[in-house]
């Protein structure tokens, strides 16, 4: 499951990395590139709870296979459109609409299914608080590794040909599908302790999760704006700053969560304030080096906090509702990453430091929500 998820996020980031240059080749304005990413995020957000409901009704393998079919069809269609568009066979408008369809809608819906299935399987196959927390941490780490490695691989491939990452993407998606078909069996739920959390008690955790995701989306976008305006950061340094963001998430979810073995509530209580510190540093950073450190600290905090939130949500539902909970968690992140760039643009026009301050305020509210109890099961011992 983790390998398949990693490959799908590699595909996503490879395609995202070459979207700008390819759009220029089509003659598309920058605003339409932003629309492409927004459509993909909206498709993922809307599809996630629907995939969750289907998973609870039909099982994880059905959702995985359906999602991977779309995950292959999206990049394959995108590659065909790029090939035809660059040769002039398709008009600019038709090419853009087909790119929105394949890269935005089809692939966005497909990757949502894979992520929802991975989170649901993590919930179905682990029972103890500690095991569940580490499992959802590894799911997040697989995402982060794909996000981190995708642009690097795309950059290496694009040195030979800008279209090479596009043509490799459906091949990687096919490999992910093969991994699932060969190795993933229907998960056998392990015995779960009775759920001692009412749904309403999960609302503070969901609130903290969406605010942490929103804060991080704002921070990532404002760094891009600062680089574009050459304010405190040269455009050539943006790659290193964004690399720090991905590295922070990967370290938090793939290393710190399994090593520290903290309970979900402790992850939230520590992670959210660490994110606040990162955003405070971001607002006052005088140089690219300090901005890099700020985003690294913020990413570490967000990585810890959202792992705590996801584990809390999963532990607050029984085995028959793991799909729905996984879908709602994915919806939460999707909504945040749709709203974050839009909010950042408005705030940045008012004051360049405003986005960082709002991100810090969101993480500060998340800190307060982290101290609202989510039930005895979630706050119990994490050494299981």
């Amino acid at each position: 499951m983790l390998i398949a998820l990693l490959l799908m996020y590699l595909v996503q980031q490879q395609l995202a990395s070459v979207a700008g240059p390819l759009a220029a080749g089509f003659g598309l304005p920058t605003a339409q590139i932003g629309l492409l990413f927004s459509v993909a995020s909206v498709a993922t957000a809307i599809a996630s709870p629907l995939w969750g409901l289907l998973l609870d009704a039909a099982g994880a393998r059905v959702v995985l296979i359906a999602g991977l079919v779309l995950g292959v069809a999206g990049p394959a269609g995108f590659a065909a459109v790029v090939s035809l568009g660059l040769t002039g066979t398709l008009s600019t408008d038709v090419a853009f609409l087909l790119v929105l369809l394949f890269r935005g809608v089809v692939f966005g819906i497909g990757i949502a299914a894979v992520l929802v299935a991975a989170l649901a399987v993590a919930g179905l196959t682990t029972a103890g608080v500690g095991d569940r927390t580490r499992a959802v941490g590894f799911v997040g780490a697989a995402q982060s590794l794909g996000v981190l490695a995708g642009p690097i691989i795309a950059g290496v491939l694009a040195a030979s040909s800008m279209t090479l990452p596009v043509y490799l993407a459906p091949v990687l998606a096919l490999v992910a599908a093969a991994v699932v078909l060969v190795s993933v069996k229907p998960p056998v739920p392990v015995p779960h302790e009775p759920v001692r959390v009412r749904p309403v008690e999960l609302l503070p955790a969901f609130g903290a999760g969406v605010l942490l995701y929103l804060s991080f989306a704002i921070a990532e976008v404002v760094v891009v704006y600062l680089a574009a305006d050459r304010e405190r950061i040269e455009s050539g340094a943006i790659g290193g700053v964004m690399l720090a963001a991905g590295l922070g998430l990967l370290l938090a979810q793939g290393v710190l969560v399994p090593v520290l073995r903290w309970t979900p509530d402790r992850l939230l209580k520590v992670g959210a304030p660490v994110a606040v510190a990162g955003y405070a540093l971001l607002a006052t950073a005088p140089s690219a080096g300090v901005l890099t450190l700020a985003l690294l600290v913020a990413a570490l905090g967000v990585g810890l906090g959202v792992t705590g939130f996801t584990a809390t949500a999963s532990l607050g539902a029984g085995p028959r509702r793991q799909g729905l909970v996984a879908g709602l968690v994915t919806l939460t992140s999707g909504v945040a990453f749709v709203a974050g760039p839009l909010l950042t643009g408005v705030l940045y026009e008012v004051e360049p430091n405003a986005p960082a301050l709002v991100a810090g305020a969101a993480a500060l509210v998340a800190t307060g929500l982290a101290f609202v109890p989510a039930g005895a099961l979630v706050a119990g011992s994490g050494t299981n």
Side-chain angles (χ1 to χ4, degrees):
M1 287 290 297
L2 294 179
I3 292 171
L5 187 66
L6 167 63
L7 290 173
M8 292 302 288
Y9 274 88
L10 276 174
V11 169
Q12 182 197 58
Q13 294 303 308
Q14 279 189 198
L15 297 181
S17 297
V18 297
L22 288 175
F26 284 139
L28 297 175
T30 305
Q32 288 187 312
I33 304 173
L35 179 61
L36 170 62
F37 294 136
S38 296
V39 166
S41 297
V42 170
T44 299
I46 292 174
S48 296
L50 300 178
W51 283 126
L53 290 171
L54 178 61
L55 189 146
D56 287 334
R61 188 172 169 83
V62 171
V63 170
L64 263 177
I65 292 173
L68 285 166
V69 167
L70 296 175
V72 173
F78 180 65
V81 172
V82 168
S83 180
L84 294 172
L86 292 178
T87 59
T89 305
L90 298 176
S91 68
T92 299
D93 290 340
V94 171
F96 177 65
L97 289 175
L98 290 175
V99 165
L100 279 182
L101 173 64
F102 287 110
R103 169 59 183 86
V105 177
V106 174
F107 186 72
I109 294 174
I111 200 170
V114 180
L115 178 55
V116 168
L119 287 172
V121 169
L124 288 168
T125 57
T126 57
V129 174
D131 288 344
R132 183 76 57 85
T133 304
R134 287 189 291 276
V136 299
F138 285 135
V139 171
Q143 282 182 268
S144 300
L145 183 57
V147 170
L148 194 63
I152 297 173
I153 295 173
V156 172
L157 295 173
S160 299
S161 169
M162 188 57 64
T163 56
L164 189 55
V166 175
Y167 297 138
L168 180 63
V171 177
L172 290 175
L174 275 172
V175 173
V179 167
V180 168
L181 290 172
V182 170
S183 63
V184 176
K185 304 295 187 293
V188 179
V190 299
H192 283 59
E193 295 182 31
V195 175
R196 298 195 293 271
V197 181
R198 294 177 298 170
V200 69
E201 292 181 293
L202 295 175
L203 289 178
F206 270 91
V210 72
L211 288 171
L212 286 175
Y213 278 125
L214 179 64
S215 70
F216 197 62
I218 291 172
E220 286 191 310
V221 175
V222 77
V223 168
V224 176
Y225 281 18
L226 292 172
D229 290 345
R230 300 197 175 196
E231 185 171 322
R232 296 185 284 160
I233 177 174
E234 292 294 323
S235 57
I238 186 66
V241 178
M242 301 309 289
L243 186 67
L247 186 61
L249 290 175
L250 180 61
L251 287 174
Q253 297 172 309
V255 178
L256 293 181
V257 167
V259 168
L260 295 173
R261 303 174 72 87
W262 286 349
T263 54
D265 68 319
R266 189 175 183 185
L267 288 171
L268 257 176
K269 289 175 182 176
V270 173
V274 170
V276 173
Y279 299 135
L281 193 58
L282 179 65
T284 57
S287 64
V290 182
L291 279 170
T292 302
L293 177 62
L295 215 55
L296 176 64
V297 172
L300 285 169
V302 170
L304 294 174
V306 298
T307 301
F309 149 61
T310 305
T312 297
S314 179
L315 288 161
R320 294 183 180 180
R321 292 291 179 265
Q322 286 300 314
L324 177 59
V325 166
L328 292 175
V329 167
T330 307
L331 169 65
T332 296
S333 62
V335 168
F337 280 93
V338 170
L342 299 175
L343 184 58
T344 304
V346 174
L347 292 171
Y348 192 82
E349 289 296 321
V350 176
E351 162 61 44
N353 269 340
L357 295 174
V358 170
L364 190 61
V365 175
T367 301
L369 292 173
F371 283 86
V372 178
L377 174 62
V378 178
S381 171
T383 58
N384 261 346

